[in-house]
Amino acid sequence: MNRGTQAQIDPTAWQHNVQCVREWAPQARVWAVVKANAYGHGVERAAQALSSADGYAVATLGEAIELRRLQPHHPILLLEGVNRAEQLADVVACQLQTVVHCQTQLDQIRQSTAQRLDTQPLVVWLKVDTGMHRLGFAPSDLASARSLLANCPGVQLEGVMTHLACADALDQPEPTLQQLALFDACVRPGDRLSIANSAAVIGWPQTHNDWVRPGIMLYGSSPFAERNGVDLGLRPVMTLTAPVLAVRTVLAGEAIGYGHVWRAERDSRIATVAIGYGDGYPRQAPNGTPIWLNGQTVPLAGRVSMDMLMIDVTDLDRVSVGDMTELWGKRLSVDEVARAIGTIGYELLTRVTARVERV
Ligand SMILES: *Cc1c(COP(=O)(O)O)cnc(C)c1O
């Protein structure tokens, strides 16, 4: 039996957020990015609720194969491509579209097309490194990558893509403008293009092109450090809740939890909550990190342990064992919690562990 620690998933919020993407990028087709188990939300439900998108994008072949079982017909894009030649057979068999970002992958395609017997094409997106310097061909190598692919029988070049390093920095446009200029200079008329992550969907309309690749915004969290998802009109999909297990009084001067890193300045009421870093709530969360309970936010008190954490509820009118706290979600933005912890909503959502029941 579960102890009541839950990630409640709201499928109507997914549908709303896809609609937001459509409004921001009305001309573009939408790859719904569902990598990392749909940013921790559970890929099965995500795929279902996001089926109004034009396709899905994932990071790994394992993710793509699982998704193909759930969604027999939607396009699926493999964002990093494969790293072993044998995997190309799975790419074709599962009808995936795969990214090719380096010479090694080109060599693997050449090897495998030489011996391929199947009639399905291998559908490829070429990735250009315009400044992120993570994956992709140098712009000056794109033309030769194209001609190598053109000489591989059964390979279909579907489009050309790049990824932006600083799309979330709307007040510092230079690096993004530079990346876009480099991309413009190496693509050809008639290429299908894909650039935009969530930040670019919202902040850089000139990047929308043929396909956008939103991830975090679909989950209702903001790609921008200084704004919450709700301020952008998005709805949080995940609400993470955990019950109060115990309530006690500690006297001024007493300390609580491992390392005694929180000490009462006044006689205090302390509630112990059934969630910890074993559930994905970060141990790095400092004293004062907001947690919602009974209509207001209260501060985290003391170090997060594996299965529990404690909050200072002295200023709450009433607290009982069994009351539900919200760690983030509809009442408390994951983006605000992330700021208090010094991370981003992406990481908090993705880290929720399998022990937490998704309902
Ligand atoms: C994860 C990822 C995205 C989605 O990014 P968000 O910031 O979550 O919108 C888009 N493109 C690529 C290549 C990615 O790896």
Side-chain angles (χ1 to χ4, degrees):
M1 251 326 260
N2 193 283
R3 56 189 174 150
T5 302
Q6 294 181 337
Q8 289 153 22
I9 304 296
D10 175 4
T12 66
W14 264 319
Q15 285 149 12
H16 169 86
N17 296 336
V18 176
Q19 203 47 46
C20 290
V21 174
R22 298 269 185 217
E23 280 161 28
W24 264 300
Q27 312 296 332
R29 284 190 275 178
V30 176
W31 292 116
V33 181
V34 294
K35 60 191 179 189
N37 195 28
Y39 289 49
H41 291 63
V43 71
E44 187 164 352
R45 277 192 207 83
Q48 229 169 49
L50 293 168
S51 63
S52 66
D54 301 289
Y56 305 103
V58 293
T60 72
L61 181 60
E63 292 173 340
I65 291 172
E66 184 187 1
L67 189 56
R68 179 51 82 216
R69 271 195 287 105
L70 300 168
Q71 292 287 338
H73 304 302
H74 263 60
I76 298 176
L77 175 63
L78 199 42
L79 289 167
E80 293 163 23
V82 295
N83 49 17
R84 286 186 290 126
E86 313 85 86
Q87 296 171 327
L88 289 166
D90 291 322
V91 170
V92 174
C94 293
Q95 302 195 337
L96 310 176
Q97 302 186 22
T98 191
V99 167
V100 173
H101 60 75
C102 67
Q103 187 60 43
T104 307
Q105 289 177 325
L106 280 179
D107 294 341
Q108 290 167 344
I109 288 174
R110 274 197 304 189
Q111 276 168 33
S112 77
T113 50
Q115 0 163 314
R116 267 186 43 212
L117 301 171
D118 44 32
T119 50
Q120 302 270 16
L122 176 70
V123 181
V124 164
W125 284 78
L126 276 175
K127 182 159 190 175
V128 192
D129 175 11
T130 55
M132 175 82 174
H133 299 322
R134 188 174 64 175
L135 293 179
F137 292 97
S140 56
D141 292 339
L142 183 63
S144 71
R146 263 184 214 277
S147 51
L148 276 176
L149 280 182
N151 288 323
C152 294
V155 174
Q156 174 189 331
L157 178 60
E158 184 69 17
V160 183
M161 63 188 284
T162 193
H163 195 56
L164 298 173
C166 304
D168 57 328
L170 299 179
D171 54 343
Q172 285 167 338
E174 292 80 14
T176 301
L177 293 173
Q178 206 170 15
Q179 285 196 262
L180 296 180
L182 278 173
F183 193 60
D184 272 353
C186 71
V187 298
R188 294 181 186 166
D191 281 344
R192 284 205 189 95
L193 305 179
S194 176
I195 306 176
N197 58 4
S198 297
V201 167
I202 297 169
W204 298 90
Q206 67 269 53
T207 66
H208 292 169
N209 292 300
D210 299 287
W211 284 87
V212 293
R213 307 191 304 271
I216 195 69
M217 65 185 296
L218 295 175
Y219 305 92
S221 170
S222 167
F224 305 111
E226 61 296 343
R227 280 152 95 188
N228 294 347
V230 278
D231 304 331
L232 299 165
L234 302 169
R235 286 197 205 142
V237 175
M238 180 194 293
T239 297
L240 182 64
T241 62
V244 171
L245 290 179
V247 185
R248 76 194 61 250
T249 300
V250 302
L251 300 177
E254 288 184 319
I256 67 174
Y258 286 123
H260 274 185
V261 299
W262 186 91
R263 195 171 292 278
E265 288 171 1
R266 54 179 175 170
D267 293 352
S268 304
R269 296 288 286 163
I270 298 296
T272 302
V273 180
I275 194 163
Y277 63 81
D279 306 288
Y281 193 92
R283 185 175 174 278
Q284 292 76 8
N287 285 329
T289 302
I291 290 170
W292 184 94
L293 177 59
N294 294 344
Q296 65 188 81
T297 60
V298 293
L300 177 71
R303 203 168 268 164
V304 174
S305 47
M306 189 181 294
D307 314 305
M308 287 170 275
L309 54 76
M310 288 174 279
I311 51 182
D312 177 1
V313 296
T314 315
D315 294 331
L316 280 186
D317 296 338
R318 49 172 187 91
V319 177
S320 318
V321 169
D323 286 354
M324 275 292 170
T325 66
E326 179 179 308
L327 291 309
W328 57 71
K330 299 232 179 280
R331 299 171 173 110
L332 175 61
S333 170
V334 69
D335 301 311
E336 188 183 333
V337 178
R339 263 194 301 278
I341 298 175
T343 182
I344 51 179
Y346 297 73
E347 189 183 11
L348 295 184
L349 296 170
T350 307
R351 271 167 63 161
V352 174
T353 64
R355 184 164 81 178
V356 177
E357 193 184 8
R358 271 74 169 170
V359 297

